Amino acid sequence: MKKRALVVAIGAAVGCHPAAWSQSTQQNEATTLQEVQVTGFERVYKEPTTNTALGFEADPMSTPLTTISIPIDILEDQQVNNVEDALRNVAGVTKFKQGNGGEEKFSIRGFDASQSLYKDGARINNVFNATNIATTETANIERYDILKGPASILYGQGEPGGVINYVTKKPKFIEYRAAEVIAGSDDYYRVEADFTGPLSDTFAYRLIVSSEDSGSHRDFTVRDRQLVAPSLTWKLSQQTLVTAQYEYITDTYTQDRGQVLDGNNATGYSYSGRLNGTQFYGIPGWNENTESDYNRFALLAEHFFDNGSSITANYSRTRVDKTLFDSSPRALGPNMQVVADNGDVAIRASQQGGQGESDSMVLKYQWQLDGGTLFGQTIGHKFLLQGDYERIVNNTISASGTQITYNVNTGQYSGIPPGGVLVGPFTQGGSSARQQGLVIQDLISIGEKWNLLAGLRSTQFEDRQANVDSDDVSPRFGLVYKATNTLSYYGSWAKGFTPTTATGFNPATGNGIGGAPLDPERTEQYELGIKKQLLNKQLDITAAIFDLRKTDVAVTDPASSGLPAGEQWSTNLGETQTLGFDIQAIGKVNDSFRVVAGYAYLDNQLVAVDPSLAGQEGNALPGIPEHSGNLFGVYEVQRGQYKGLGLGLGVFAQTGSFVSTENRAKYDGWAQLDALAYYKADGWKVQLNLKNITDEEYNFAQAGTTTDSFGAVRVGTSTPRTVNVSLSVEF
C-alpha cells in the first residue's frame, strides 16, 4: 500500500500542468512587483532578508540583530528532508531529543526554542498546545529564518533564545517545474514535485506534492507521509498581490521515545555496552499506529506604494488531528533502575489524542520618509505599525495501560496480552489561549554611517482554562555604526516575556490552594556584534557576544517548602543565564565554491533555582554543549569537460552535554562527517549524499529535564551511516 502511494504521487506530479516553481523571496521593499528568472540548479547560499527579524526588509548591514537564513539551496545540497538537519547549519542552535509527540525540538543560545517556531510568521508550536503538533514536511519550505535573542516585540510571548520562522514557497509569474526521486538506506524512498507558472497575466499558481515511505535504523520504526500544497496568486495590479495557500499533510508513523541509559540513581547512569541505537523501547504493533492530519489555510494580501511603503495582511488557520499510540520505558525501584541486571526494561503503553486549532492575523503598515537633518546628516525613517491577534485552542484525551517487558540482551518482548494492548480510563484536558498585540518600531538612518532601531510592543495574553492573564510591554533598541559599506559594528538590547501557569499565595486559605497566577517570567539580552562582507559582498560574516537571561522564573516559594505538595505556592525568584559568543559565515568564496559555517561558545547556568533543586544552582541546562560548530562547503566545476560536477564535504560537531540539570550523567561530544557528489547537465541532476561517514554514535538530551533518572528514559539517538541517491529534473 505504501509503495502504491509513491507511484500515485509520481503519476500525479508528472501529469500536472507544465508550469511550476522557483525559489521565492518576499519583496516587501519593491514598489513594482518584479519577475524573477530562474536557471537550472543554480545555488546561492546568501539570503539577505530581515523580514522575520524586523517585520520588513532592510539592509542587513544596517540591522543591529543577529539573523541568518538557511535557504533551499543549502537544503538541496545537503539533501535535507527534516528541520533538524537544516538547523544544524546555524551557530548556537542545538538539537534536543524529539518531543513526546514526535515534534522537533531545539534550543537557541542555550534556551529552549521549541515553543518559538513559526510558519510565515504564524506560530506553529506553543507551550499550551504541544500535544497536537504535527512534524514538519520540508517540501513546501523555501527557507528557514532564525532571529537570535528575545523576539517578543514582533511575536509576543516566547522563550528568550529567539525564533525560527519557516518561509513557504509561493507562486511566481514564470514557468518552472521540477521533480525529484530519492532512495536511500533503511528503506528510505521519497518523491517530490514542484510546479509553478502563470495561468494568465493576473493569476499564477503553485502546486507542491511529496510522498515519503521510509523505515529506520531503529527496530519496528516506519513512516508514511504525504503532502499536497496548492497555492494561487492574484495580481490585482503591478503593486498589489493576494496569495491564497492550502497545505495538507497526512502522516502515519511509529512513535519512538528513543533510547535509555543503563545504571541507577545511586551509581549513576551511562550508555553501556549492552545498549545500541537499534533497540526499540516501545511495543511492536502498537506505536506504529500513530497518525496525524494537518490542514493549513493562509491568505496574504500585499500592497506596495510608490514611495517604498507597504501594507500587508496575513491570515493563517491551522488544524491538527492527532492520535498518538505511545509507550515509553520506566525507571523503577528505590534507586530508579532502568535496565535490570538481567537486561529487562519495563515499558508502559499509553494513548493520547486530540485536536488543535489556531488562528493568526497580522496587519502591518510600513512606511518610510525623510525626516530632515541632524548635525548636517540626512535623517531617514522606516516605520512599522503592527497589530496582531492569535488564538490557540487545544482539546486532548489521554490514558495509560498495559506494561510489558523488553530484554536488551535477547531483544525479546514479553507480557503483551493475547488480545492486544489495553489502555484506560481516559482523562480530558485542553487549553484556550489568546494573544493580541500592538507594535510600533522605527529604523532610523542618520547619514550614511549610523542607524538606530527603537521599538515597543504592548501584549495581552490569556489562557482561560489555565487561568493565565498576562499583560506586558516589550522594548527593543539597537545602534549600528557602518564603518564602511562592508563593515558594521552594532549593539542591541531587547526584553520579552513568557507566561506561567504557576500560582502564588492565597490569603483566604493561608496556603497555595486557589492562589492567583504569578506575573510572567521575564527575558532580556544585551548584545554586541560585528558584521563583515567579503569577496565583493558574496560572503557574509556575523560575530556577536551576548548576555541572555531569563528572570522571574516561577519556583516554589521557600516559605511554603515545608507544606504538602498540594498546598505549596510559587514565586518569581528563579533565573537562568547564558553568556556566549557566536560567529557564522555564509555565501560564496568564488563562483565555484560556496560555504556555510559557524561556531558557538555557550556558558549556560542556573543562577537561582527552586528550593527542591538547591544543589543544582550554578549547573548547566541539559543538552547544551559549551562548544559547537559546523562547516559545510561545496565546489562546483564551472567550465571545461567536467562542468556541472560538484563535490561537497561537511562536519558538524559539539562537546559533551549533561543529561539533566543534576549535571552528573553526561553525554560525550561528537563530530559527524558528511559528503556529497553530484553531476548536472541539460536540466538533469544525479546526486549522492553520504551522512555520518564514520558511523559516529551519539545521544541527545530531552529539554528541561531536572533529574538523571528521568533523563535516562528520554534519550535521543543519532542516525548511523546513511547513503542517499537522488535523480532530479528541472524543465
Side-chain angles (χ1 to χ4, degrees), residues 514-530:
L518 293 182
D519 292 335
E521 300 169 345
R522 307 293 177 181
T523 65
E524 184 176 26
Q525 177 180 266
Y526 294 90
E527 178 177 334
L528 294 173
I530 181 173

Side-chain angles (χ1 to χ4, degrees), residues 599-645:
Y599 165 78
Y601 166 76
L602 302 176
D603 180 10
N604 174 268
Q605 64 172 318
L606 298 169
V607 178
V609 299
D610 191 284
S612 65
L613 305 175
Q616 298 184 9
E617 193 165 296
N619 287 359
L621 291 176
I624 307 300
E626 187 175 22
H627 302 275
S628 61
N630 60 280
L631 174 63
F632 183 85
V634 177
Y635 181 85
E636 182 180 311
V637 180
Q638 299 294 316
R639 58 187 60 86
Q641 68 181 99
Y642 298 110
K643 180 181 178 181
L645 175 66

Side-chain angles (χ1 to χ4, degrees), residues 28 182 194 201 506:
N28 288 342
I182 308 170
D194 185 358
D201 290 340
N506 185 354

Side-chain angles (χ1 to χ4, degrees), residues 267-346:
T267 61
Y269 299 94
S270 65
Y271 194 72
S272 70
R274 58 177 176 172
L275 305 177
N276 66 74
T278 67
Q279 294 164 339
F280 178 63
Y281 296 91
I283 301 176
W286 173 259
N287 295 57
E288 67 186 37
N289 296 308
T290 295
E291 56 185 0
S292 170
D293 285 326
Y294 169 90
N295 291 270
R296 173 180 174 266
F297 172 76
L299 188 65
L300 172 66
E302 307 168 279
H303 180 76
F304 303 95
F305 297 96
D306 290 336
N307 64 355
S309 301
S310 66
I311 185 169
T312 64
N314 189 1
Y315 172 74
S316 175
R317 180 176 178 82
T318 301
R319 179 184 171 102
V320 178
D321 296 272
K322 192 170 187 177
T323 303
L324 193 68
F325 290 83
D326 197 7
S327 51
S328 57
R330 308 179 67 199
L332 301 175
N335 287 329
M336 304 299 286
Q337 187 164 357
V338 180
V339 185
D341 293 341
N342 68 350
D344 281 350
V345 177

Side-chain angles (χ1 to χ4, degrees), residues 30-78:
T31 57
T32 300
L33 301 175
Q34 302 291 325
E35 292 188 352
V36 179
Q37 299 301 318
V38 176
T39 57
F41 301 114
E42 184 180 358
R43 297 285 180 265
V44 180
Y45 277 14
K46 276 184 57 175
E47 191 73 45
T49 177
T50 62
N51 191 54
T52 294
L54 290 176
F56 52 75
E57 296 295 355
D59 177 11
M61 298 295 290
S62 302
T63 304
L65 305 168
T66 299
T67 66
I68 186 172
S69 294
I70 303 300
I72 192 171
D73 297 346
I74 294 176
L75 309 183
E76 293 181 349
D77 275 350
Q78 297 181 3

Side-chain angles (χ1 to χ4, degrees), residues 401-477:
T402 302
Q403 180 170 303
I404 71 159
T405 300
Y406 170 73
N407 190 278
V408 300
N409 299 324
T410 65
Q412 299 298 309
Y413 298 84
S414 59
I416 302 177
V421 173
L422 300 175
V423 296
F426 284 89
T427 59
Q428 294 184 330
S431 62
S432 178
R434 287 172 172 80
Q435 176 181 275
Q436 54 192 18
L438 182 64
V439 178
I440 185 168
Q441 180 182 264
D442 190 9
L443 180 62
I444 306 168
S445 61
I446 307 172
E448 296 182 355
K449 296 292 187 180
W450 294 92
N451 290 88
L452 175 67
L453 177 67
L456 201 65
R457 176 192 177 95
S458 175
T459 304
Q460 293 179 313
F461 178 90
E462 66 172 348
D463 186 322
R464 294 175 181 175
Q465 293 189 28
N467 195 29
V468 174
D469 190 351
S470 298
D471 296 338
D472 189 75
V473 175
S474 305
R476 177 167 72 178
F477 295 95

